[in-house]
Amino acid sequence: MTTTSPAATTTTGFAILGPLRVLRAGDDLTLPARIEREILALLLAQAGHPVSAADLIAALWGQSPPLNAANTVHRHIGNLRRVLEPGLAVRRPGALLQGRSGGYRLHVDAGTLDLVRFRRLAGEAGRAAELHQDEAATQLYARALHLWRGRCADGFDRLRQENPIFDGIDREHAAVARRAARAARGSGRTDMVMTYLSRAAQWHPLDEPLQAEYLRALSAQGRRGEALARYRQIEQRLATRFGIDPSAELRAVHDDLRRSPSFTRAVSAGPAGTGSTATLPPAQLPADQRYFEGRAHEITQALTDLTPGDRPRVGPAVLVIEGMPGVGKTTLAVRLGHGVASAYPDGQLYAELRTGPESGPTSTGEILQGFLTALGVPRPEIPDSVQARAGLYRTVLRDKRVLVVLDGAATVDEVRALLPVSAGSAAIVTGRGGLAMLASEVGAVRRVLDVLPVEEARRALLTRIAPYREVVEPAAVDGVLDLTGRLPLALAVVGARVLACPEAELTEIVADLRNRDGRLALSAGESCGEMRSIFASAYRALAPRAAALYRLLPLEPCEEISVAAAAGLLGVAVPQARGLLGAVANGGLISETRPGRFRMHGLVRDHAAELSQELDDDDVRSGALARLLEHYRHSGDRVGPGVPPRRHPVEPAGSGFRGGRIHRPERRPHLVSRP
């Protein structure tokens, strides 16, 4: 058998500007081994340049490589060759993946790798801009930015954190977005790049020159109010995270926006006793969602909860919105905030308690500093200690009517000091779970969001796609609802794909996005990467034993699992299983449908199954499944009258059941994740 010729490999393509993809003749290839996916990502990031074996080892294992690291890399390189070139003979050099003087090189070009194509288009756009051909440059920049489906190598969190090459490619994206904004303003065609600018501004929140260009583009489209709201978010983020003011360029853009004839907001006095000059009431709410649809019942209830009524309140109105990742908690909170803003004329404060899927909680002290600054307290007068800041915050808000929106709380401790105390104020707190104590502490009203009802989900999808398509097939819409499980973020993912492929039939798009279980494939594009990231952030917050249970839950074949079945699955006592299920539920990854029974959304189930395949050994999964089956056989033996008992009842191994009593198992399976 001969080696595969270069011509035979021309239909193999790669994508790394987002989740890693390998395509042959339009079909995705699967690389089951994590290390092979990581090696391929590292080779693709070099865009055709050789990578030494030593560099691969350092990137994969850091300062602690195994003794057989070189052989491991060599073996997985061989596996990659056979996947990429299935006709390749054993021990023959490949045409795609080649050995080069102690290292490896993946042969790619603009036709086979999106990174090379992106750089070529960006270069052509830059040359057009130098010739003052702004419209041609804008078109080329738009084509280049359209290739990005997410951050470079999205989903390889550890690899991205430890290897600066991926961050460098992301910075290329930000730089091209800035140049695209300037060319678009020069040509008067900001509409061609606004989607890409908005996405870039979201991915690079601390790139102040990029944020300035985004504000200018919003202003050029007549969206000055949205630009001002965006500036306030940037100002708060810089103040809370770094204690600094926006750059001179950003402040200049802000001044230009305020000088606009449409900026007519009245100026009110600053907090009494702080010595501050007159300042505007803070209006920090993010822009409302353009495609918001549904939640009519929840909105009606919440507006009643938040709007001051005839009866005097003892304290502030506090609304807690909980639910699984992607169910629309933030979107609903922002919609409600805008809906009741007029009832709180002294301002609206907004804080992201977690600024992204990869970030930890923002400290209470940082948020208090940002709030006090927004309320007009001069920076030198803000005390250093958190306790003193909280006291000053309560003093400033005394007798004021403000709305405080706290987004992404994980615990009650994170929000206590941030809540207003006056009866004329209100707060909205969002979180995945674990906030029930606010009901007893401050009289909070708790609302738990579920997926959208069928008709609301249908309207939410049609609101996004119907204006841009002549025909929308009803059967295909039903397919989308099945595909997404009516999760709002998943519906937005499909809507984005439909808008990006205006010529494709909706049925074709649904088929392309579906995995083998009939649900939305979490690897299918940029927004799916975002969805995987928010699931991953909730997973990373779990303690190790709760994380182990989460990964094994997809082994349960039914839609719901009982506490006793979970105990058998993990091999622990029932009380411990109850606590672990509660921890997973507090993370928003499962929901308690009735006492002692828990349900997992299909997309979350897929995420958990992916993690288990990657982190758990086969014997861990097979052992868990065997214990689960023994639990159900044992339960069948105890059904009662009408079912003949087994001659020798089966005790579920390691489940904690012995002779009808609960005992701690003597041995437990090893469930610690591999690094």
Side-chain angles (χ1 to χ4, degrees), residues 304-591:
T304 302
D305 299 332
L306 293 170
T307 304
D310 297 332
R311 291 187 300 174
R313 293 196 299 234
V314 176
V318 179
L319 173 66
V320 174
I321 302 174
E322 292 182 321
M324 66 175 288
V327 81
K329 302 180 293 294
T330 300
T331 302
L332 178 59
V334 171
R335 168 58 60 96
L336 292 171
H338 285 288
V340 301
S342 60
Y344 302 97
D346 294 318
Q348 301 87 48
L349 298 169
Y350 177 86
E352 297 176 66
L353 274 65
R354 281 160 179 75
T355 55
E358 307 302 326
S359 62
T362 306
S363 74
T364 301
E366 290 176 330
I367 296 174
L368 284 169
Q369 177 174 305
F371 281 178
L372 289 168
T373 301
L375 290 164
V377 179
R379 190 70 59 80
E381 297 183 18
I382 298 176
D384 292 332
S385 76
V386 174
Q387 185 176 2
R389 287 180 181 180
L392 179 58
Y393 174 65
R394 291 191 292 269
T395 300
V396 170
L397 292 186
R398 184 184 56 199
D399 301 325
K400 286 188 176 292
R401 291 181 294 167
V402 298
L403 173 69
V404 180
V405 179
L406 304 172
D407 188 29
T411 66
V412 174
D413 291 338
E414 293 177 358
V415 302
R416 281 193 181 98
L418 303 173
L419 295 174
V421 294
S422 66
S425 295
I428 304 173
V429 183
T430 73
R432 293 165 184 160
L435 303 175
M437 281 298 294
L438 285 176
S440 60
E441 290 187 7
V442 296
V445 176
R446 181 170 173 258
R447 306 290 184 193
V448 180
L449 293 188
D450 200 351
V451 297
L452 290 170
V454 173
E455 289 308 314
E456 288 191 2
R458 190 187 309 278
R459 288 198 301 272
L461 178 67
L462 293 176
T463 298
R464 289 176 178 272
I465 68 174
Y468 305 97
R469 301 178 75 81
E470 293 183 3
V471 177
V472 179
E473 312 94 312
V477 172
D478 291 338
V480 172
L481 302 189
D482 292 338
L483 185 75
T484 59
R486 308 196 307 278
L487 186 68
L489 179 57
L491 288 167
V493 168
V494 177
R497 178 63 69 90
V498 171
L499 296 180
C501 305
E503 303 301 323
E505 297 289 338
L506 186 55
T507 50
E508 296 175 333
I509 295 173
V510 170
D512 182 56
L513 293 174
R514 180 179 285 125
N515 66 13
R516 64 184 181 183
D517 294 322
R519 290 188 292 269
L520 183 65
L522 294 179
S523 60
E526 157 210 330
S527 297
C528 289
E530 177 187 351
M531 191 156 52
R532 184 194 288 108
S533 294
I534 66 169
F535 293 161
S537 68
Y539 166 76
R540 283 192 294 272
L542 298 175
R545 294 292 283 173
L549 175 59
Y550 170 73
R551 296 194 304 270
L552 295 176
L553 284 175
L555 294 175
E556 165 60 58
C558 302
E559 289 187 357
E560 294 185 354
I561 188 169
S562 67
V563 173
L569 186 68
L570 194 57
V572 299
V574 168
Q576 186 177 0
R578 188 184 303 278
L580 294 174
L581 284 168
V584 180
N586 283 342
L589 294 168
I590 58 176
S591 59

Side-chain angles (χ1 to χ4, degrees), residues 137-300:
T138 303
Q139 292 176 348
L140 289 165
Y141 278 131
R143 289 173 58 193
L145 294 170
H146 182 72
L147 296 171
W148 285 75
R149 301 165 293 113
R151 291 178 174 85
C152 182
D154 199 3
F156 293 92
D157 297 341
R158 183 198 62 80
L159 204 64
R160 282 178 48 85
Q161 291 170 3
E162 299 179 7
N163 294 274
I165 186 171
F166 299 107
D167 186 56
I169 295 172
D170 285 343
R171 287 197 298 272
E172 289 182 51
H173 173 258
V176 169
R178 293 195 298 268
R179 295 196 291 268
R182 290 192 288 270
R185 282 191 289 112
S187 65
R189 293 300 308 275
T190 54
D191 60 296
M192 294 177 62
V193 297
M194 277 307 295
T195 298
Y196 309 120
L197 284 180
S198 174
R199 186 170 60 183
Q202 179 184 354
W203 290 348
H204 309 283
L206 302 179
D207 188 325
E208 293 184 80
L210 173 60
Q211 299 297 330
E213 291 294 351
Y214 182 46
L215 297 184
R216 292 188 184 105
L218 287 170
S219 178
Q221 290 199 319
R223 298 158 64 182
R224 289 189 176 89
E226 190 174 340
L228 285 165
R230 179 73 181 185
Y231 177 84
R232 287 189 290 269
Q233 292 178 37
I234 298 167
E235 184 179 44
Q236 181 192 5
R237 183 180 292 115
L238 294 172
T240 56
R241 294 190 64 180
F242 304 106
I244 61 175
D245 294 322
S247 66
E249 181 183 11
L250 267 172
R251 294 198 303 272
V253 174
H254 181 242
D255 290 342
D256 290 342
L257 291 169
R258 292 185 62 185
R259 283 192 290 268
S260 163
S262 64
F263 188 80
T264 58
R265 178 172 294 165
V267 177
S268 63
T274 62
S276 63
T277 59
T279 184
L280 291 168
Q284 297 181 341
L285 290 175
D288 201 359
Q289 170 60 256
R290 176 182 179 184
Y291 293 111
F292 189 96
E293 183 63 44
R295 303 295 188 197
H297 178 66
E298 291 89 341
I299 289 174
T300 300

Side-chain angles (χ1 to χ4, degrees), residues 35-36 39 43 51-58 60-61 66 68-81 97 102-104:
I35 191 171
E36 288 165 17
I39 290 172
L43 293 173
V51 184
S52 70
D55 286 344
L56 285 176
I57 291 171
L60 292 169
W61 291 288
N68 63 341
N71 289 336
T72 300
V73 168
H74 184 72
R75 183 176 72 254
H76 286 291
I77 287 286
N79 293 341
L80 270 176
R81 282 197 178 112
L97 183 50
Y104 305 94

